[in-house]
Each structure stands twice: as C-alpha cells, then as structure tokens.
C-alpha cells in the first residue's frame, strides 16, 4: 500500500489570495487525482494530475482556478487561486495503481 | 454520467448488531468498486476493493458484495463495535482507460452505541 502525505494539513486564508497544497506519495503510482469535499458532502473529483503535462479537469473545474502540477510520479501540487468563502473545503490527494489511496486531506477555510 | 447513491444516509445500531450498508450505481460499465471509511476530520481509509469480475470480497468482519448487472453493492459489518462508528463511502471506478477515476456516493454515517 502507498502512504500519501499532504501539506499543509489545514489553513485559514483571506479572500482573494491563493494557496498551494502539496501531495507526496511514498512510492510510484500510476495515477494521481485531486478531490474536493465540501462541508457535509461527499467527494468530487477536480482533476487527474498527469505527469509532465497539463492536468485533465472534470466538468465545472478549470485550470485558471485550480492549477495543478505533477513533475514526477510521486509528487503533485494543487493551487486554489483567488479564493472565496465558497472554496472552503477539504482537498484530498489520491494515488492509484489498482487500489486507490488517499492523503489525510487539507482543510481550507476562506474568510 | 455515473451516479452513486448510498442508503441509508445515517444509521444507528446497538453494539453487536450486524450492519448492512447499501450502494447503488446507474452505469454498470464499471472497472471496480471500493468501500472507504472516513472518520470525522480525517482522510479516507480503503476497506475493500472489488474488481468488476468479482462477486464479493472479505476482510475480517467486513464483507462486500457486488452485483454489477443490477448496479448494487452491499457492505456487511458483522458484530458491530463502537469503533466502527464512522462515515462509510462507496466509490465506483470507471473503465480502466479513464485511469480509475472514482465517483463517490454520499456516504452512510454510522453510529454504534455501546
């Protein structure tokens, strides 16, 4: 099994600022994904992080708002840009070969 | 578009009772189905993975069944314990070409009372 860590674990940010979340996997995984979990809701896929190329975004999510990088097989970042209170959520990174493993999440509060 | 539904949304049982959690999905062209546990304020812990060719998987007190043709999976937890209290999420993996993207259900929040 893979162990996934995320930084920061939580943050409180001001409206209009940006936050970059880092995700590190302890072993190589085929796929990496970013999910959002809004308060009281289930997980929604934001995008697939592709190594060395642009991420593949799901409907309703765009690169300008959620730029993603994946420079190698074990590391990815998600930036939440120009934040508003509606972006307050838990952001989770996952890695997958067959089984999918999740990081502990980053709890973001936007004031 | 795949939709995943979990019923009930919440469940409260006395310790020792068996738990039955239901998950349904609209598109039977799945790659796999995974059950997760989420504790409050925490990330997700993978419990069981069922490939589309399988009918069930077992791990300790947990057993998950899959009926792909009817679009249903059931997670059974035998002899529940207070430590089983958590939210249980069902997630369906799309066809392999899509890189196993998961579509999640809304979850079932379980409380096991001592």
């Amino acid at each position: 099994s893979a162990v996934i860590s995320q930084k920061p674990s939580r943050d409180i940010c001001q409206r209009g600022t940006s936050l970059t979340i880092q995700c590190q996997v302890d072993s190589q995984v085929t796929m990496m994904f970013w999910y959002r979990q809004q308060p009281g809701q289930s997980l929604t896929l934001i995008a697939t992080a592709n190594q060395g190329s642009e991420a593949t975004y799901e409907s309703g999510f765009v690169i300008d708002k959620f730029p993603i990088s994946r420079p190698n097989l074990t590391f990815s970042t998600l930036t939440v840009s120009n934040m508003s209170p509606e972006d307050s959520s838990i952001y989770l990174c996952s890695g997958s070969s067959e089984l999918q493993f999740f990081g502990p999440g980053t709890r973001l509060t936007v004031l | 578009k795949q939709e995943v539904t979990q019923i009930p949304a919440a469940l409260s049982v006395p310790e020792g009772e068996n738990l039955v959690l239901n998950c349904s999905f609209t598109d039977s062209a799945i790659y796999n189905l995974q059950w997760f546990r989420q504790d409050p304020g925490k990330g997700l812990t993978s419990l069981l993975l069922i490939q589309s060719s399988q009918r069930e998987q077992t791990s300790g007190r947990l057993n998950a069944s899959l009926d792909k043709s009817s679009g249903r999976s059931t997670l059974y937890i035998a002899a529940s314990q207070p430590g089983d209290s958590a939210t249980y999420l069902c997630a369906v993996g799309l066809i392999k070409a899509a890189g196993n993207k998961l579509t999640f259900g809304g979850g079932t929040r379980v409380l096991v009372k001592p």
Side-chain angles (χ1 to χ4, degrees), chain B:
Chain B
K1 180 186 171 187
Q2 180 73 270
E3 292 183 5
V4 182
T5 304
Q6 290 186 245
I7 295 173
L11 185 60
S12 179
V13 299
E15 182 177 2
E17 195 165 296
N18 297 333
L19 287 163
V20 180
L21 308 179
N22 297 300
C23 172
S24 62
F25 46 94
T26 55
D27 186 348
S28 62
I30 66 170
Y31 180 56
N32 56 31
L33 185 145
Q34 203 164 341
W35 282 93
F36 294 89
R37 168 186 172 137
Q38 186 175 33
D39 293 284
K42 300 290 178 70
L44 276 67
T45 300
S46 178
L47 297 174
L48 290 168
L49 169 70
I50 311 176
Q51 300 292 354
S52 62
S53 58
Q54 297 176 318
R55 300 281 294 185
E56 67 175 343
Q57 278 287 343
T58 298
S59 175
R61 293 185 296 113
L62 277 59
N63 174 274
S65 66
L66 174 63
D67 185 342
K68 209 172 70 160
S69 61
S70 67
R72 284 188 286 198
S73 177
T74 302
L75 177 67
Y76 300 90
I77 303 177
S80 61
Q81 303 169 358
D84 294 328
S85 299
T87 296
Y88 291 83
L89 294 160
C90 161
V92 172
L94 300 181
I95 56 174
K96 189 173 185 179
N100 198 33
K101 297 191 296 185
L102 295 179
T103 301
F104 280 83
T108 295
R109 192 169 63 254
V110 170
L111 175 64
V112 180
K113 296 176 287 187

Side-chain angles (χ1 to χ4, degrees), chain A residues 15-87:
Chain A
R15 181 195 298 261
T17 62
S18 298
L19 176 72
T20 295
I21 303 168
Q22 298 180 4
C23 175
Q24 179 74 54
V25 188
D26 71 343
S27 58
Q28 291 186 356
V29 291
T30 308
M31 310 295 293
M32 291 183 75
F33 303 95
W34 287 96
Y35 291 82
R36 179 175 74 181
Q37 186 174 30
Q38 294 177 299
Q41 298 190 27
S42 191
L43 280 75
T44 301
L45 180 64
I46 298 171
T48 303
N50 299 309
Q51 185 201 354
S53 65
E54 190 172 293
T56 305
Y57 290 85
E58 297 300 305
S59 175
F61 297 97
V62 295
I63 188 171
D64 289 347
K65 177 66 176 177
F66 297 103
I68 288 171
S69 77
R70 187 182 176 192
N72 57 53
L73 287 173
T74 61
F75 184 79
S76 177
T77 66
L78 167 75
T79 299
V80 186
S81 303
N82 188 26
M83 289 183 284
S84 67
E86 292 71 34
D87 294 320

